[in-house]
Amino acid sequence: MNLLQELGLDRAALSADLARARVLVVGDVMLDRYWFGDVSRISPEAPVPVARIGRMEERAGGAANVARNIASLGGKASILSVVGDDEAATALERLMLEDGITTLLKRDAAISTTIKLRVVARQQQLIRLDFEDAPSREILADKLEQYQAVLAEHDVVILSDYGKGGLTHVTRMIELARAAGKPVLIDPKGDDYAKYAGATLLTPNRSEFKEVAGSWQNEEQLIAKAQALRAELQLDALLVTRSEEGMTLFRAEGALHQPTFAREVYDVSGAGDTVIGTMGLALAAGLSLPLAMSLANAAAGIVVGKLGTAVCTQQELFAS
């Protein structure tokens, strides 16, 4: 029995619902560059490996990877973000258009598009180089106006916070989404969750949640801390992803836990993007939070078996 049969979902009907679902993703986008090579010697200049690069890849990362996951699962994704007016922004937009994503990118000539450059040799990351700037207040104000303009065209809003400054107006964005009757899901960053108050769902990972709520000794303490935070922030739900322990959904009705779906973990980077992207798309398609979590858990289990900021396709998910 596959996942859809276990959940009592019809494949054709779900596929049609996903195709109609429209999700607006707002947040920090970045260009992930991978340089693949081989290492056979140590540099005579310093005790560091010399990587001879044989292949290069570019992928849309950050909030753009959330949108990629939505599109790969058969949904309609729009991405609203601030980028530089540079070659990296052009490459990023091209990649997203190739994936069928509607791009609403504000170009800011005063900054550089965020780039994460990874050098990989023998399936191991040697180094990561980050290039980034914070967007200006003026361009962020323009983005907020555009957010208001396109909100009605979408079923669900996902705010993907990577701490790069793109969600300066996150509190106002939540207010506008809720006033418009749109569920708003947030992948949080940092230790100040007060700004996320009133959201439909937050999806922190285990370490992010611990940074805000403190450590716990057992499951009862975890549940108490999660429910206290959910109530304090007036959230509909809180989803804590717990790596090899699976994920737990906390609602007023109680806690619902699912064990990990991963068969083999290769790379966990981007798994959080897959979780929130799948959750948002499933809710936009009319599924309940528990059903959305089941799909997100399965999708995350698939992407951690891939290298880098990968996505789960609808075919892979339905076959799981």
Side-chain angles (χ1 to χ4, degrees):
M1 182 179 292
N2 66 18
L3 176 67
L4 296 190
Q5 291 171 327
E6 288 181 15
L7 299 177
L9 296 171
D10 178 76
R11 181 178 184 132
L14 179 56
S15 183
D17 289 340
L18 294 176
R20 285 190 292 268
R22 303 162 301 172
V23 182
L24 174 61
V25 181
V26 188
D28 303 306
V29 298
M30 55 197 70
L31 182 63
D32 285 324
R33 283 188 161 139
Y34 294 85
W35 290 3
F36 296 96
D38 192 24
V39 171
S40 58
R41 63 192 181 97
I42 300 298
S43 171
E45 303 165 1
V48 295
V50 175
R52 183 174 181 177
I53 305 302
R55 179 168 59 91
M56 294 179 283
E57 282 186 20
E58 291 182 330
R59 302 178 191 176
N65 192 46
V66 177
R68 287 179 65 217
N69 274 276
I70 293 166
S72 70
L73 288 170
K76 294 182 174 67
S78 302
I79 183 78
L80 175 60
S81 189
V82 177
V83 294
D85 190 11
D86 51 23
E87 172 271 335
T90 301
L92 194 52
E93 186 160 25
R94 172 182 51 78
L95 288 169
M96 288 189 285
L97 289 173
E98 288 174 356
D99 285 333
I101 298 165
T102 299
T103 57
L104 307 167
L105 300 180
K106 289 282 185 181
R107 294 211 177 204
D108 184 351
I111 67 169
S112 298
T113 301
T114 298
I115 299 173
K116 290 185 178 181
L117 171 60
R118 298 168 176 88
V119 180
V120 181
R122 299 184 182 179
Q123 298 185 327
Q124 289 187 328
Q125 191 176 137
L126 296 182
I127 191 170
R128 192 183 89 182
L129 308 174
D130 289 5
F131 309 84
E132 60 188 56
D133 291 309
S136 65
R137 288 191 173 274
E138 292 77 15
I139 203 86
L140 289 173
D142 286 345
K143 188 180 82 166
L144 185 60
E145 288 184 16
Q146 190 170 12
Y147 173 80
Q148 290 180 264
V150 302
L151 194 54
E153 303 168 11
H154 298 85
D155 303 306
V156 166
V157 175
I158 293 177
L159 304 179
S160 181
D161 195 348
Y162 271 79
K164 310 301 182 186
L167 287 179
T168 299
H169 302 295
V170 64
T171 300
R172 181 60 178 153
M173 288 178 173
I174 295 169
E175 291 173 357
L176 291 168
R178 297 313 294 261
K182 311 294 183 182
V184 54
L185 286 62
I186 304 178
D187 190 356
K189 195 74 172 179
D191 58 4
D192 175 21
Y193 280 18
K195 59 189 175 185
Y196 304 130
T200 305
L201 175 73
L202 292 191
T203 63
N205 62 34
R206 184 171 53 192
S207 61
E208 289 168 340
F209 179 71
K210 188 176 293 184
E211 185 179 357
V212 172
S215 59
W216 56 90
Q217 300 302 317
N218 51 50
E219 201 71 12
E220 290 72 24
Q221 288 183 9
L222 168 61
I223 292 172
K225 286 178 179 290
Q227 294 289 28
L229 181 64
R230 186 191 59 77
E232 178 189 343
L233 298 179
Q234 298 180 305
L235 308 172
D236 289 10
L238 176 70
L239 178 70
V240 180
T241 57
R242 303 168 61 182
S243 191
E244 73 281 355
E245 296 175 357
M247 56 181 67
T248 309
L249 180 69
F250 301 93
R251 297 179 295 162
E253 302 94 312
L256 179 63
H257 180 75
Q258 288 193 352
T260 182
F261 201 88
R263 297 179 180 88
E264 181 180 351
V265 177
Y266 183 76
D267 189 342
V268 298
S269 63
D273 299 334
T274 300
V275 169
I276 197 168
T278 308
M279 289 288 296
L281 179 60
L283 292 179
L287 297 185
S288 66
L289 274 169
L291 283 175
M293 177 177 70
S294 295
L295 294 180
N297 190 32
I302 291 167
V303 298
V304 296
K306 303 179 181 182
L307 173 66
T309 46
V311 298
C312 173
T313 67
Q314 185 178 109
Q315 184 177 6
E316 289 173 325
L317 181 61
F318 286 4
S320 63

